Amino acid sequence: MSLRDLLPESHAAAGYAFAYMDEASKREVRRALVKAVCIPGHQIPFASREMPVARGWGSGGLQVTLSTLVPEDTVKVIDQGADDSMNAIAIRELVRATTQVKVTTDAREATLIQTRHRIPEDDLHEGQVLVFQVPIADPLRIVDARPSVTRRLHADRDYAPVWLYLYEDLAQVGHSSFTHSHPVEVEGGYVMSPTPIPRHDVERLDGAPFLSLFGAGREATVYAVPPYTRVRPLAFSDRPFERERMPSPCAMCGATDTYLVEDDEFEGGRWICSDTDHCRRSREEAR
Amino acid sequence: MTAPVLEVDGLTVRYGPGCTECDPRTSESSRCTSCGTVWACRDVSFEVGPGEVLGIVGESGSGKSTVLACANLDIAPLSGRVRIDGADVTHVRGSERRRLRAERLGIVYQTPAQGLDLELTVGGNIASRMLAAGVREYAALRERAGDLVKETELPEDRLDAVTESFSGGMQQRVHVAKALATRPPIVMLDEPTSGLDVSVQARLLDLLRRIQRETELAMVLVSHDLGVIRMLADRLLVMRHGRIVERGLTDQLLNDPHHPYTQLLVSSQLA
């Protein structure tokens, strides 16, 4: 008897159970996620499994996605804002092949968006779920590498060391050195790392209508920001948090309010939208 | 008399399990011969009023540092009470202790590395205490750090230099500046000058004395250097084997020591 014989007919084609992971493992992840949603910004350990992607390549986000997907979902996967990067394609294909859910590149249509580095430029709406791939879950890692120490600091809400880090940045460099993952305070309580999203996106988590789930596979940790939660980047009262300044409008769609990345394949270099699908739609609408 | 800033009442600290043979009240030695438990402090009580400097002297192992550790809320005593501004804080832990330490207590250790993060800038070390006390205004941190650098006679243009790049004597000044950052009513000094060479010691002592007088700061000064004690302390406790064996006004006590140990201490001092 082969694995195919044991599986329900609908999944036999892929050779795996619905959404690749076995039910008990998915339940374990969901259980951790429920806890995470109940305590916004608090890091919850979970039994991280081996995934068919290497740890550090989105295994945490993938486990969260696979554990929460239902057959009615429509999935979008991006890496650095792009739907067509290798990592995004591989993850999207795995999800599609093991669930047969619909996939899309349009952020407005997706019910679940797995992302690394970006929040799509579109205004997302209630009912959507953003799943973030997290490389380093603990915002206190920068001040102490020992989890035993950082857990105590979190428990005491002792975030003076992070503030000190911000102070040292200002004193020595003149500005914050966080180009991504600028630490945020969630609902006036825990300090959380909004995994490597640029400063442009950090404030978009504040009061957002969508649910944000963060999965760190290597660190075996999940955390969450429920919809309509207060999310404030840490910043001194007289040195407000600032977004990146873009050097020019997008060279392709002309947008001035989006996050741009350098296109080094273009001769001489140029700056274009990091959110490729949003950029494409803007250009099509303009035509 | 005004209310004391710090009150220590009947402090007893034990390192070890203790046994029925232990007799901390009467035994001469602080170490139990039967179980090896060390009674590091035995029924120690004192008060420090606003602007008062209390010296504690005693040989190594007499319990000075243990008393200080209790007063700094690092360790909880087996019995006895620590009160700050009249409030019992003996067993305060976690965020409450952090806040209390940041706002009400300063401490200067023998070596700067114990109390500073040498990889941070001078300003960062000073700011860390204010941040712990909840200050979230960058300009306020800069201003206070700048003032303290001036106050402690550090080079003002090196506010943003990494502390590691300073000499030992200068690092100890940074340590003092850090302790003073939040204007605590009391600062504890654990052999603050012992790690420094004599000329640097003298300058730091001058500094401490000046700051103490100008700001009416209360201090608990632990030292085995009677010169330092004579210069700074108003009142003096002499500890031995975990007990206070003699107490009084510094000048009186050092000129007319009663307890044999104090007599030995005074007569051992190099002229």
Side-chain angles (χ1 to χ4, degrees):
Chain A
M1 189 182 276
S2 73
L3 179 64
R4 275 165 197 254
D5 302 324
L6 292 168
L7 291 167
E9 208 174 317
S10 54
H11 308 127
Y16 291 102
F18 179 76
Y20 180 75
M21 297 165 74
D22 66 275
E23 291 306 318
S25 298
K26 284 192 285 190
R27 179 187 288 182
E28 152 66 17
V29 178
R30 284 196 297 266
R31 196 178 279 157
L33 287 171
V34 166
K35 217 187 261 184
V37 170
C38 292
I39 318 172
H42 183 44
Q43 298 164 52
I44 312 290
F46 79 105
S48 184
R49 307 293 159 137
E50 289 296 331
M51 283 285 112
V53 295
R55 290 191 166 179
W57 288 81
S59 63
L62 189 56
Q63 288 177 78
V64 170
T65 297
L66 294 173
S67 303
T68 48
L69 271 183
V70 292
E72 295 75 33
D73 271 317
T74 305
V75 172
K76 170 182 167 79
V77 182
I78 50 172
D79 180 0
Q80 308 266 13
D83 296 84
D84 56 358
S85 82
M86 252 270 285
N87 195 219
I89 293 171
I91 289 175
R92 184 169 57 233
E93 192 47 35
L94 176 77
V95 170
R96 197 200 52 74
T98 60
T99 61
Q100 274 85 50
V101 298
K102 271 191 285 180
V103 294
T104 181
T105 57
D106 191 333
R108 298 165 304 178
E109 286 173 10
T111 54
L112 186 148
I113 304 169
Q114 179 168 338
T115 170
R116 169 167 172 255
H117 287 121
R118 285 307 313 278
I119 296 174
E121 299 288 355
D122 292 294
D123 288 326
L124 300 180
H125 52 79
E126 250 178 56
Q128 289 183 299
V129 179
L130 241 67
V131 175
F132 294 83
Q133 300 170 203
V134 178
I136 295 171
D138 194 342
L140 294 174
R141 172 72 59 85
I142 52 170
V143 297
D144 202 309
R146 293 165 294 178
S148 56
V149 172
T150 59
R151 267 200 288 267
R152 165 63 59 196
L153 293 172
H154 278 294
D156 290 347
R157 306 288 197 282
D158 182 0
Y159 296 119
V162 185
W163 285 97
L164 187 56
Y165 192 92
L166 297 173
Y167 169 90
E168 290 279 287
D169 266 355
L170 283 174
Q172 291 188 297
V173 197
H175 58 84
S176 167
S177 65
F178 287 105
T179 53
H180 57 75
S181 315
H182 187 100
V184 293
E185 186 188 80
V186 181
E187 203 62 38
Y190 287 109
V191 166
M192 178 190 100
S193 174
T195 172
I197 58 175
R199 303 170 72 82
H200 177 89
D201 287 342
V202 169
E203 288 170 302
R204 300 176 63 211
L205 285 171
D206 184 32
F210 52 86
L211 166 66
S212 298
L213 302 176
F214 298 81
R218 190 184 42 192
E219 299 197 4
T221 298
V222 293
Y223 52 99
V225 177
Y228 304 109
T229 301
R230 204 151 34 89
V231 177
R232 297 264 188 274
L234 297 189
F236 290 109
S237 57
D238 51 348
R239 293 293 173 106
F241 178 85
E242 284 177 348
R243 294 176 170 203
E244 299 86 352
R245 288 200 190 89
M246 294 304 153
S248 62
C250 170
M252 289 172 75
C253 74
T256 53
D257 57 349
T258 58
Y259 181 70
L260 306 182
V261 288
E262 206 168 0
D263 177 13
D264 47 17
E265 282 172 20
F266 188 80
E267 205 177 306
R270 61 176 181 172
W271 292 82
I272 54 171
C273 285
S274 113
D275 185 340
T276 53
D277 193 65
H278 183 263
C279 188
R280 180 185 58 77
R281 278 187 273 119
S282 300
R283 278 176 282 138
E284 275 170 13
E285 278 162 29
R287 235 179 267 142
Chain B
M1 188 191 156
T2 43
V5 184
L6 174 70
E7 284 173 87
V8 167
D9 186 14
L11 212 62
T12 299
V13 176
R14 179 178 83 183
Y15 297 117
C19 68
T20 48
E21 304 288 304
C22 277
D23 195 1
R25 280 174 200 286
T26 56
S27 72
E28 163 68 17
S29 163
S30 54
R31 187 173 177 278
C32 171
T33 47
S34 165
C35 68
T37 293
V38 172
W39 294 81
C41 47
R42 302 191 267 179
D43 197 22
V44 169
S45 302
F46 61 82
E47 291 179 2
V48 188
E52 189 184 30
V53 182
L54 177 78
I56 304 179
V57 292
E59 59 194 6
S60 294
S62 62
K64 307 184 298 273
S65 296
T66 299
V67 170
L68 217 57
C70 285
N72 195 45
L73 312 178
D74 291 327
I75 57 173
L78 185 68
S79 62
R81 293 272 160 262
V82 177
R83 291 186 194 88
I84 293 173
D85 303 322
D88 186 344
V89 295
T90 322
H91 296 284
V92 158
R93 288 297 176 266
S95 52
E96 208 184 332
R97 171 171 69 176
R98 195 177 70 238
R99 186 148 213 105
L100 202 65
R101 269 188 189 154
E103 290 172 357
R104 312 300 295 167
L105 300 170
I107 189 154
V108 178
Y109 296 101
Q110 181 168 350
T111 55
Q114 284 171 275
L116 299 176
D117 185 337
L118 297 181
E119 288 175 14
L120 295 179
T121 62
V122 170
N125 268 301
I126 298 170
S128 67
R129 268 175 66 80
M130 303 175 68
L131 290 167
V135 178
R136 295 290 179 262
E137 191 192 333
Y138 184 67
L141 298 171
R142 295 297 285 176
E143 195 187 330
R144 180 75 181 135
D147 287 350
L148 280 165
V149 161
K150 239 179 279 176
E151 179 94 7
T152 50
E153 297 159 25
L154 285 158
E156 286 172 51
D157 56 345
R158 292 187 68 193
L159 180 63
D160 297 325
V162 176
T163 313
E164 215 165 26
S165 68
F166 285 75
S167 69
M170 276 155 105
Q171 285 179 4
Q172 197 63 331
R173 283 165 195 279
V174 178
H175 202 352
V176 171
K178 179 184 178 181
L180 298 173
T182 52
R183 300 187 175 86
I186 186 161
V187 168
M188 287 174 264
L189 305 144
D190 191 359
E191 306 276 10
T193 58
S194 306
L196 307 172
D197 70 60
V198 188
S199 61
V200 177
Q201 261 189 28
R203 280 188 64 193
L204 190 73
L205 284 174
D206 278 344
L207 174 78
L208 287 172
R209 188 162 61 170
R210 181 172 58 73
I211 290 172
Q212 194 272 324
R213 297 224 168 122
E214 282 172 6
T215 59
E216 297 224 325
L217 187 66
M219 287 181 174
V220 180
L221 171 66
V222 165
S223 185
H224 57 250
D225 183 338
L226 292 184
V228 172
I229 293 288
R230 214 185 273 275
M231 189 166 167
L232 286 174
D234 303 313
R235 285 191 303 123
L236 185 59
L237 306 178
V238 181
M239 288 191 69
R240 191 162 198 233
H241 298 320
R243 278 202 199 93
I244 296 174
V245 293
E246 192 164 2
R247 63 170 83 211
L249 297 173
T250 305
D251 290 345
Q252 277 181 16
L253 201 151
L254 292 181
N255 291 332
D256 180 21
H258 286 206
H259 190 275
Y261 172 69
T262 319
Q263 289 169 355
L264 180 73
L265 199 68
V266 172
S267 64
S268 307
Q269 202 188 7
L270 297 176

